[in-house]
Amino acid sequence: MLRWEGGQMSADPITVSMPALYCPVVARRYPDAEEIGKESLAWLKSFGLRLPPGQWAEIEAERMGYWFALFTPGAASRERMRLGADMFASIFPYDDAYSGRFAIGTEADAVSWAGRWCRLLDDPQFAVHCDHPVTEAVADFLRRLAEECTDTQYRRFADPLKTYMWGIAWEFAGHDKAVRESLAEAVPCRIYSAGVLPTIGILHASHNLHITDEVFYRPAVRAFTEAASFLIGLHNDLFSYPKEALDAAEDVNLLAAVITEHHCSVAEGVAHLIRLSNQIMTRLVELRTTLARTADNDLLTYLDAALEMLAGHLEFEQHCIRYRRGTAQLPAITITSQPTADTPAEPPAVPTLTWWWHLPEPGRLFKTI
C-alpha cells in the first residue's frame, strides 16, 4: 500500500487482486525493434537536451523507441516506423517537464508552452521561440514527418497533438479540484491530456493510410478512435498510479479520482476501473465489427492497427521501467481474450462516454433525443 511518512509518500508492495482485463488482441512487435530503438535514442541525444540530473539515464533505461515497435507492428516501412519511434522517444521527456521528479515548468509555462507548441505544429520553423528541452528534436521530427507523408497524414497526427498540448495545460495549469476528485470530471480531461489521440493519429503516417475526411469523421469511426484512445489512457492511469502517487500526486489520474470520489481502497478502485475498461473494450469490438462490414482496406487496417496499439500498450505498461518504481507497482494483470461475464451491457455511468453507445446519424454532430 502507499502511505504518508513525515510528509513524504512511502511505498510498500501493492497486494491487490487484479480482476481479469478483456483484450482480444495479442501484442506483436515490429522486426528490428532493438536497433530502431537505439537509433531513436541516439537521435534524441544528438540535440544536447538540457535536462535535470538523472533524467537522461532514465530515458535510456525506458527504451521508448524500442517499445514503440509494440505499438505499430504493421508499419508500412522501416522509415515510417523510425519516425514513430522518434516521436515516442521524445514524448515522455516532453511530458515530464510539466510534473514529477524532473519537472522544470511552472503553471504559467504550461499555458505558454501550449500556445507555442501549437504554432510549432503548423510552422516547425517556430521552434526557436519555445524553450522546452525537446523543442528542437520535435521540430526535426515534424519536418521529417511532413516530408515523408501526405498533408492529410500529417494533420491526422498534428491536429490531435494540438489538442493534447492544451489538454496538458488543462491538467497542470488548472486548479480545478473536480478533475482530481470525480471520475466524471477526470475522464474528459484525460481524453485530451493523456497524449493518446496523437499517438493513434500517427497510424495514418506509420501505415501509409489514405482515409478521406468523409469516412474518418463518421460518428462510428470517431467513436472508435476516441474509445481506443481513452482506453489506452485508462490503462496508463491504472499502471502509472503507484509511480504518480510517489512522484506527482497532484496529476490527474483516473484511479486516484475513483479512490477519492468513493473513499475506497486501491483494490476497490482497481476493480472499478477494470470493469470500466472491459465495458469500453466490449463496445470497441462491436464498433470494429460493424465498421468492418463496409470498410475498405485502409480503414480496416486502421481499425486493426489501433487495436494492436492497445494490446502493445498493455505489454509496455506492465514491463517498461517507467512504471516500476521499486516496490510501488501493481501486480501482473490477467488478460482474457473473451468478454468477462460481469461486464455490464449498458453504457458506463460516465456522461461524456455514453455517445459511443448512442451514435448520431452520419452528418449530424448530436443524436436527436
Side-chain angles (χ1 to χ4, degrees):
M1 62 179 295
L2 299 170
R3 64 180 188 275
W4 286 100
E5 288 185 352
Q8 298 293 321
M9 188 70 84
S10 175
D12 288 334
I14 300 176
T15 54
V16 303
S17 176
M18 301 289 283
L21 188 146
Y22 172 39
C23 181
V25 180
V26 176
R28 61 191 182 100
R29 184 178 277 113
Y30 188 85
D32 206 14
E34 198 71 54
E35 190 62 30
I36 291 172
K38 290 177 181 177
E39 291 172 6
S40 288
L41 279 174
W43 165 81
L44 188 62
K45 191 173 186 178
S46 72
F47 292 93
L49 276 59
R50 302 180 305 278
L51 299 172
Q55 187 174 8
W56 180 255
E58 184 159 306
I59 290 171
E60 287 186 308
E62 286 170 345
R63 302 166 71 211
M64 289 301 174
Y66 168 80
W67 284 113
F68 189 77
L70 270 174
F71 285 25
T72 55
S77 68
R78 193 183 191 283
E79 291 75 16
R80 288 175 180 252
M81 166 57 67
R82 170 62 200 284
L83 275 170
D86 288 355
M87 179 275 294
F88 198 50
S90 60
I91 202 70
F92 282 99
Y94 164 81
D95 192 44
D96 286 341
Y98 292 88
S99 71
R101 293 178 302 136
F102 301 120
I104 60 172
T106 65
E107 292 177 348
D109 288 330
V111 176
S112 63
W113 279 345
R116 286 170 170 79
W117 278 107
C118 285
R119 188 60 197 144
L120 175 62
L121 286 161
D122 288 335
D123 174 19
Q125 304 301 324
F126 191 70
V128 68
H129 297 289
C130 186
D131 61 354
H132 191 289
V134 296
T135 297
E136 291 186 26
V138 172
D140 178 76
F141 156 73
L142 292 173
R143 294 184 193 110
R144 290 160 48 219
L145 183 69
E147 290 171 359
E148 179 73 20
C149 303
T150 68
D151 290 347
T152 299
Q153 289 169 349
Y154 179 88
R155 293 257 60 93
R156 293 276 167 80
F157 169 75
D159 288 345
L161 189 56
K162 284 183 178 181
T163 304
Y164 168 49
M165 304 306 177
W166 287 114
I168 288 285
W170 181 5
E171 178 175 352
F172 292 115
H175 294 277
D176 181 3
K177 280 189 173 183
V179 298
R180 293 167 177 82
E181 298 177 354
S182 161
L183 184 63
E185 295 288 344
V187 165
C189 180
R190 293 301 284 150
I191 286 175
Y192 301 121
S193 70
V196 188
L197 282 169
T199 308
I200 284 183
I202 207 169
L203 290 173
H204 298 268
S206 64
H207 288 63
N208 195 22
L209 302 177
H210 302 275
I211 304 173
T212 66
D213 286 353
E214 184 179 11
V215 170
F216 189 67
Y217 295 116
R218 285 167 48 196
V221 180
R222 286 196 301 112
F224 178 92
T225 298
E226 192 172 275
S229 170
F230 176 69
L231 202 50
I232 292 176
L234 184 154
H235 297 158
N236 176 274
D237 281 14
L238 184 67
F239 287 100
S240 67
Y241 171 78
K243 165 188 173 289
E244 291 180 4
L246 290 169
D247 294 346
E250 291 303 310
D251 286 6
V252 177
N253 181 286
L254 298 174
L255 178 54
V258 169
I259 293 170
T260 301
E261 179 177 6
H262 296 284
H263 305 285
C264 65
S265 66
V266 173
E268 291 168 327
V270 166
H272 186 104
L273 216 56
I274 289 181
R275 185 166 55 252
L276 176 60
S277 173
N278 291 344
Q279 280 181 279
I280 296 171
M281 180 61 82
T282 301
R283 180 55 176 159
L284 199 59
V285 171
E286 292 173 351
L287 287 167
R288 189 265 176 205
T289 300
T290 300
L291 287 165
R293 295 189 186 116
T294 57
D296 64 12
N297 186 64
D298 278 18
L299 179 58
L300 190 59
T301 297
Y302 172 77
L303 299 173
D304 290 343
L307 289 174
E308 282 199 314
M309 180 174 282
L310 200 154
H313 183 269
L314 272 174
E315 187 76 10
F316 158 74
E317 292 281 3
Q318 294 186 85
H319 297 100
C320 178
I321 195 172
R322 180 179 183 83
Y323 301 112
R324 302 175 69 82
R325 183 78 73 245
T327 58
Q329 54 191 276
L330 293 176
I333 198 167
T334 299
I335 297 176
T336 174
S337 61
Q338 300 297 322
T340 56
D342 62 344
T343 300
E346 67 275 6
V350 181
T352 196
L353 304 183
T354 56
W355 81 270
W356 301 341
W357 279 260
H358 302 292
L359 300 176
E361 296 296 322
R364 298 183 65 89
L365 183 59
F366 302 108
K367 182 177 178 66
T368 302
I369 299 175

